[in-house]
Amino acid sequence: MSYEHRPKASGRRADLLLIVGFFSILVYPALSLIENPEELKARGVTEKRALTPRPPIWQFAAAPSKFVADFKSFFEDQFEGRGQLVTFNSLFRYNVFDVSTNASVLPGKHGAMFFAGEAVVPRHDFGHETARYRRVLPVTDRRLKRLQDLLDGRRKWAESMGAKFVFVVAPDKSTTYSELLPEWLNPLDGPTFTDQLIDHLKATTNIEIVDLRPALEKAKEPGKPLFYLRDTHWNYEGALVGYHETTRWLKEKFPAITPFGPDDLVRKGERHQGDMTQMLHLGTRLSERSHQVLLKSPRSAIVPFEYDPTPVSSWAAPPITYKSHDARLPKALVYHDSFMLLLMPYLAENFDSSIFIRDQRVVTSTVKGYKPDVVIFECVERTLYYLAYITDDLLPTIEPAMIAENPIESGSHVKK
């Protein structure tokens, strides 16, 4: 007697699930073809770069070879599931080998991370953070003179409005916490670029300078970090040190300013996702315990910007205005980078009104009619080198020899 073999129903279901699963894996990445602009924008913010856009379909008929190449780049950059794969790769390599998957992130000691430089800056270039720290390239007189002209032009512009001018230098994390850098990253003998610039300005100009590096170095205490462990920026405690040091200079010029004290502050715990962990796609997995330091009863408040709001291409954000409505206090105009963001609410307490513009270029029409008593120009160390390539209303031209000193097109590397 013979029997016909019939597969079990459970086996058929397993085969069907296997087939469906296989084709799902093949189709899943193609979901990137269904664009979600907000999601794509979020991914770009996370990676701090512009993701490759999808080429228009009409390009296939006009230039098929270019369409295929552009589509390949788009698909490789944005296929569905890419983020999860990047996260897994970053987490594995960081936890197992202490290696970064992003050339701009440098793992240091005790879990610290350092900003190694913009992705577009070659590692041999002086603007690269590791090269800057190691002091591997000389500083030319042309660059120092260009920066002298830039800052002295701002001083003269401030004085033409009847205002004082001060140049505030915020320290890089690698300056304040050099002991957390990898062992192999040792500086060569000689002064830093920041030291050379400040010495040059003191010798050739009347620019007043508030160098925050010594104050933060002095304020370091065990168990009280002044920078986030895995972020390029100082934390609230570091910003407080910057506030008090800057206010010390301000109070000498404007005695009516009364700095706030420890009793005016409240600390509130937070989980901070550092910008460098986000660059590695590990923001939520490597968040750190920290705290905010907030004013209990701030005198100043944000109000609408009253002057020319026409957007400027180099702005990182629209201008922000604070008012405390205390006529005894001076008025301030502040040009700054991202290090001012935590410092801003503190510093605004010193002024009757203050305008904060997150840009290192000056467009005079933006604040036409505003009469500040002081103009503050704040800059973190790592962007000082590239200030030499700025052109604006106060310094509209740049000599070709200055551009030739840098191998990359000027103006694209200043991290705001």
Side-chain angles (χ1 to χ4, degrees), residues 48 53 103 242 257 264:
K48 295 189 180 296
I257 292 175
D264 299 313

Side-chain angles (χ1 to χ4, degrees), residues 219-225:
K220 286 166 59 176
E221 295 179 16
K224 186 182 177 181

Side-chain angles (χ1 to χ4, degrees), residues 20-326:
V20 172
F22 176 74
F23 279 102
S24 296
I25 292 173
L26 292 180
V27 172
Y28 180 66
L31 294 177
S32 63
L33 302 179
I34 306 173
E35 281 192 325
N36 182 334
E38 292 302 320
E39 182 180 347
L40 297 184
K41 182 179 178 181
R43 291 181 189 174
V45 171
T46 297
E47 298 188 27
K48 295 189 180 296
R49 66 183 182 90
L51 299 182
T52 305
R54 184 173 65 184
I57 191 64
W58 58 260
Q59 191 182 76
F60 180 75
S65 58
K66 178 172 173 47
F67 176 85
V68 171
D70 291 349
F71 188 86
K72 181 176 182 291
S73 298
F74 154 73
F75 189 76
E76 291 177 348
D77 210 15
Q78 300 196 25
F79 69 83
E80 195 66 30
R82 175 182 174 275
Q84 291 87 335
L85 293 174
V86 171
T87 297
F88 175 79
N89 181 47
S90 291
L91 191 63
F92 177 78
R93 294 179 65 178
Y94 179 75
N95 286 334
V96 177
F97 301 109
D98 196 28
V99 171
S100 167
T101 56
N102 189 315
S104 296
V105 179
L106 178 68
K109 300 175 185 175
H110 308 301
M113 291 181 181
F114 293 87
F115 184 67
E118 302 288 358
V120 298
V121 180
R123 288 190 172 277
H124 65 267
D125 188 276
F126 192 73
H128 196 282
E129 171 68 7
T130 54
R132 184 207 62 76
Y133 176 77
R134 295 198 67 220
R135 310 167 197 175
V136 297
L137 292 182
V139 180
T140 65
D141 291 339
R142 180 182 291 108
R143 185 172 299 274
L144 293 174
K145 179 62 167 58
R146 174 72 181 182
L147 292 172
Q148 171 191 331
D149 292 343
L150 178 97
L151 293 166
D152 212 30
R154 281 150 173 69
R155 177 187 65 82
K156 292 175 181 177
W157 177 62
E159 290 177 352
S160 73
M161 297 185 290
K164 301 183 184 301
F165 176 79
V166 60
F167 176 41
V168 178
V169 180
D172 283 331
K173 185 178 179 178
S174 57
T175 297
T176 305
Y177 287 102
S178 58
E179 67 274 15
L180 295 180
L181 286 163
E183 293 289 351
W184 58 266
L185 192 61
N186 295 315
L188 303 178
D189 292 334
T192 67
F193 175 66
T194 308
D195 288 334
Q196 293 180 69
L197 175 60
I198 289 177
D199 289 345
H200 177 81
L201 293 175
K202 288 181 177 179
T204 59
T205 72
N206 295 321
I207 295 172
E208 302 237 25
I209 303 169
V210 175
D211 182 2
L212 300 180
R213 296 176 299 165
L216 268 85
E217 182 66 33
K218 184 178 179 181
K220 286 166 59 176
E221 295 179 16
K224 186 182 177 181
L226 304 177
F227 278 73
Y228 290 113
L229 190 66
R230 302 184 183 97
D231 198 296
T232 59
H233 300 91
W234 54 21
N235 58 20
Y236 283 86
E237 299 292 351
L240 270 177
V241 176
Y243 161 77
H244 286 295
E245 189 67 13
T246 305
T247 299
R248 183 177 292 108
W249 180 91
L250 288 167
K251 187 169 177 57
E252 290 179 359
K253 312 299 180 183
F254 307 100
I257 292 175
T258 302
F260 57 75
D263 294 339
D264 299 313
L265 302 170
V266 60
R267 284 167 170 78
K268 180 181 177 181
E270 68 167 352
R271 297 292 302 187
H272 182 76
Q273 295 183 22
D275 55 6
M276 285 183 285
T277 61
Q278 294 180 43
M279 292 164 70
L280 296 177
H281 275 255
L282 299 176
T284 57
R285 296 174 182 269
L286 290 179
S287 64
E288 58 185 285
R289 190 183 302 277
S290 185
H291 58 262
Q292 299 175 331
V293 184
L294 307 175
L295 289 159
K296 292 179 181 177
S297 302
R299 295 174 298 187
S300 60
I302 295 177
V303 298
F305 182 62
E306 298 176 351
Y307 299 90
D308 185 0
T310 304
V312 175
S313 60
S314 55
W315 283 356
I320 295 176
T321 304
Y322 281 83
K323 283 193 176 181
S324 64
H325 302 287
D326 187 341

Side-chain angles (χ1 to χ4, degrees), residues 6-14:
R6 296 181 179 177
K8 295 181 180 180
S10 59
R12 290 179 178 176
R13 285 195 295 269

